Amino acid sequence: MNVLIIGSGGREHALAWKLRQSQYTDKIFVAPGNAGTAQIATNVDIAVTDFEALAKFATDFNVMMVVVGPEVPLVAGIHDYFLSHDYLKNILVVGPSKEGAQLEGSKDFSKQFMQKYQIPTARYQTFTEADFEQALEYLKGHSYPVVLKADGLAAGKGVVIAQTFEEASYHLDGMLHLGRFGNAGSKVVIEEYLQGIELSAFILTDGKEYVLLPEAKDYKRIGEADAGLNTGGMGAVSPVPFADASFMQKVEERVVKPTLHGLQTENISYTGFLFIGLMNVNGDPYVIEYNVRLGDPETEAILPRIKTDLFELFRALHDGDLGNIKLEIDSKTATTIMLVAGGYPDEYEKGHVISGLEQLTDVVAFHAGTSLNEQGDVLSNGGRVIALTALGDSMAEALAAVNAAAEKVIWKDRYYRRDIGFDLK
Ligand code: AMP
Ligand code: GLY
């Protein structure tokens, strides 16, 4: 069967890599893809939100399955687009409906949903420009730190943790009055700060049945010891030692099952991945956010641990058969380091030739922001450039392997964190 993967990051390269291993996949296309996906699949130069062109390509090239990597096309309704055209209806889309994607597309929607279905999360209130004065009053009476979240998609930048009232009111003003996050910030969720350690949990679900995928811990800050600016993610570890069977059972009972119950009660169709960003607060899981897709770089750490054929999982998803799947997971630890352009997440350069990739053994290199020049050199083409993943019998072994590999992959000003996993050892 021919498959079209939508997106261009390390996550999509990992999806293509895993689907390539299936005996059921024939041609794999990635739109738009990167230099890594070009090595194992065929890149197609179509933007992730150009539904018409994607649909035309899918029919012209006999694509039977579309796997959507990033949130933007999901929130814009790519699944609904395919369902609303007769000639596209038989194509299996992995990714929720527009309504389901609101779990990520609107923080206010997801907070209301969690409150309604009693899913543990931080206490909150939502404000718009019209209630700016009430929002200020609310902030005056709030404990600190406090968390402000732009309601809509803001490419991971819409969250501010403010230490003081002055800081919080400055950001509130920026979001509600100055349009700092455009339309995404026209509503602001103000919520209680949760103290704990974060992890990412994932399920694949048809809205009723689900399989729990391996969890991962992601390292979001640019600097070592979790200092500095937030990024898309600088590395990941899976499994997460503190997410033991008892903790994950709490996640399933208190979060996953009530979430699916809520989706069913609200009649929201959901066929795809659900990423649950959790805070472990003294052994209890609290939901920080839902994402309606896999995480990046978490995908690069969890897919190498899944032994089950991913295509078969997707087929079971569409056949209503997920309940009969027993996921096979490698007990090894996967560690991922993201190599990034110097300067990221602020300004950075692109277009530098990357060397050392051919020397790598025992690690997988998932490309993120890369491209090829006419000579076939791999060039840096984004902030996050290459994710390296190693598996080991212990976290220490996996970390030693991935750190050794990271040293070998070089371009001008490349940077990476040498302390991934530091808090889990
Ligand atoms: P989000 O975009 O919702 O993932 O938020 C970005 C980051 O802000 C999260 O990964 C957390 O580190 C932090 N964060 C969000 N909400 C809270 C909260 N209620 N308490 C503490 N930290 C939070
Ligand atoms: N690594 C976090 C995310 O994909 O949102």
Side-chain angles (χ1 to χ4, degrees):
M1 206 186 253
N2 295 346
V3 179
L4 171 62
I5 298 169
I6 295 182
S8 62
R11 169 182 49 212
E12 289 74 24
H13 187 184
L15 284 164
W17 171 84
K18 184 72 184 146
L19 285 169
R20 187 72 285 162
Q21 292 163 18
S22 169
Q23 57 171 310
Y24 301 107
T25 49
D26 297 316
K27 290 210 173 88
I28 299 178
F29 302 102
V30 189
N34 57 39
T37 59
Q39 288 165 5
I40 55 168
T42 305
N43 286 352
V44 186
D45 191 14
I46 303 177
V48 302
T49 47
D50 190 347
F51 299 165
E52 208 176 313
L54 291 168
K56 180 166 185 328
F57 180 87
T59 41
D60 288 352
F61 288 83
N62 203 18
V63 166
M64 293 308 291
M65 182 184 282
V66 174
V67 182
V68 188
E71 64 279 13
V72 168
L74 292 166
V75 172
I78 189 167
H79 197 158
D80 311 63
Y81 183 90
F82 274 72
L83 287 179
S84 66
H85 292 79
D86 272 338
Y87 72 104
L88 300 169
K89 262 190 187 148
N90 293 328
I91 299 178
L92 311 180
V93 178
V94 179
S97 65
K98 186 172 184 169
E99 212 185 357
Q102 284 301 295
L103 284 179
E104 177 167 2
S106 165
K107 303 267 188 209
D108 180 46
F109 176 91
S110 75
K111 294 297 284 190
Q112 283 189 42
F113 180 90
M114 286 186 258
Q115 196 168 48
K116 184 163 177 189
Y117 294 99
Q118 294 175 4
I119 295 158
T121 189
R123 270 196 309 273
Y124 83 106
Q125 213 159 305
T126 302
F127 298 92
T128 61
E129 190 177 356
D131 14 77
F132 184 76
E133 294 305 321
Q134 287 105 296
L136 276 185
E137 284 306 309
Y138 187 74
L139 283 177
K140 269 186 197 147
H142 209 283
S143 56
Y144 285 81
V146 67
V147 185
L148 274 70
K149 298 185 173 183
D151 177 58
L153 291 185
K157 298 192 174 74
V159 174
V160 175
I161 297 172
Q163 304 296 332
T164 61
F165 169 75
E166 285 67 34
E167 207 185 320
S169 51
Y170 168 82
H171 288 291
L172 184 76
D173 191 49
M175 289 186 195
L176 289 181
H177 284 149
L178 307 177
R180 179 144 341 120
F181 299 107
N183 216 10
S186 64
K187 256 192 209 171
V188 176
V189 167
I190 299 181
E191 74 176 32
E192 167 196 29
Y193 178 81
L194 296 172
Q195 187 76 49
I197 181 161
E198 279 182 74
L199 81 155
S200 308
F202 301 93
I203 59 170
L204 180 69
T205 183
D206 59 11
K208 297 180 187 71
E209 309 286 345
Y210 69 93
V211 286
L212 183 68
L213 306 175
E215 76 288 347
K217 185 165 192 304
D218 158 31
Y219 292 79
K220 286 207 170 85
R221 302 299 187 106
I222 188 71
E224 287 173 10
D226 287 342
L229 293 174
N230 247 327
T231 70
M234 297 294 293
V237 174
S238 174
V240 180
F242 66 78
D244 55 13
S246 127
F247 182 83
M248 290 313 288
Q249 197 181 348
K250 288 182 194 169
V251 172
E252 289 195 65
E253 295 304 324
R254 298 180 192 174
V255 179
V256 173
K257 289 180 185 170
T259 299
L260 296 181
H261 169 71
L263 289 173
Q264 287 163 41
T265 311
E266 304 288 324
N267 253 323
I268 296 176
S269 109
Y270 201 105
T271 317
F273 293 103
L274 180 66
F275 163 166
I276 308 167
L278 293 167
M279 189 71 89
N280 174 352
V281 182
N282 299 321
D284 290 320
Y286 283 77
V287 178
I288 297 240
E289 60 167 352
Y290 290 114
N291 294 307
V292 298
R293 53 176 171 83
L294 286 174
D296 196 347
E298 289 95 326
T299 308
E300 293 94 301
I302 67 175
L303 288 189
R305 292 189 60 224
I306 297 177
K307 291 183 172 171
T308 311
D309 184 315
L310 187 61
F311 184 89
E312 283 194 75
L313 270 179
F314 289 158
R315 190 153 58 189
L317 169 73
H318 279 278
D319 290 348
D321 211 20
L322 279 180
N324 294 321
I325 294 265
K326 176 89 188 72
L327 201 64
E328 250 195 284
I329 297 173
D330 197 329
S331 60
K332 287 195 166 110
T333 294
T335 55
T336 301
I337 291 179
M338 187 64 81
L339 307 176
V340 306
Y344 170 81
D346 287 327
E347 273 180 37
Y348 55 82
E349 293 178 9
K350 290 183 189 177
H352 296 298
V353 176
I354 300 171
S355 67
L357 286 168
E358 63 297 335
Q359 289 175 39
L360 299 178
T361 49
D362 304 328
V363 294
V364 196
F366 295 117
H367 290 223
T370 63
S371 62
L372 288 171
N373 66 11
E374 275 167 15
Q375 292 83 50
D377 299 319
V378 177
L379 305 180
S380 63
N381 190 38
R384 297 196 297 168
V385 177
I386 290 186
L388 299 175
T389 297
L391 288 168
D393 288 328
S394 64
M395 196 193 312
E397 198 183 296
L399 284 171
V402 78
N403 275 288
E407 267 181 44
K408 296 184 187 151
V409 180
I410 296 168
W411 71 91
K412 184 173 174 276
D413 299 334
R414 77 99 170 77
Y415 167 79
Y416 64 94
R417 276 181 63 169
R418 291 172 167 77
D419 70 338
I420 297 305
F422 76 99
D423 54 343
L424 300 176
K425 287 181 203 164

